[in-house]
Amino acid sequence: MKERNTSTTLRHILVNCASQAKEYGSCVAAKVPDVEHDMCLKEFLALKLCMQNTYPPMRCFITGSRGLF
């Protein structure tokens, strides 16, 4: 039962934040193989904010202000 709740939550987040996820992914993909830390920070922060606003309990899982790249 827990897996279903997790997948439902993830699906809800992905549907609501699709444009932000696409922008972040496009930013990273455009800069491969020259990936650098914080190069897509603006896009990451927009995705992070969308995810947090879509599902507030996710705040405990999305910590920090920086993206992977």
Side-chain angles (χ1 to χ4, degrees):
M1 186 71 170
K2 187 174 182 174
E3 287 182 32
R4 183 177 183 122
N5 290 338
T6 301
S7 65
T8 301
T9 299
L10 182 58
R11 187 178 312 122
H12 183 68
I13 289 170
L14 291 174
V15 166
N16 285 321
C17 301
S19 64
Q20 291 87 347
K22 183 177 178 181
E23 286 182 35
Y24 179 60
S26 295
C27 178
V28 173
K31 298 178 180 180
V32 169
D34 301 319
V35 178
E36 295 180 18
H37 187 69
D38 285 347
M39 70 179 195
C40 295
L41 184 60
K42 180 181 86 170
E43 293 82 356
F44 172 78
L45 292 175
L47 176 58
K48 176 185 168 188
L49 182 62
C50 179
M51 292 173 74
Q52 289 176 331
N53 288 335
T54 298
Y55 193 70
M58 285 294 291
R59 289 180 194 266
C60 62
F61 298 111
I62 309 171
T63 59
S65 62
R66 299 176 143 196
L68 180 59
F69 302 109

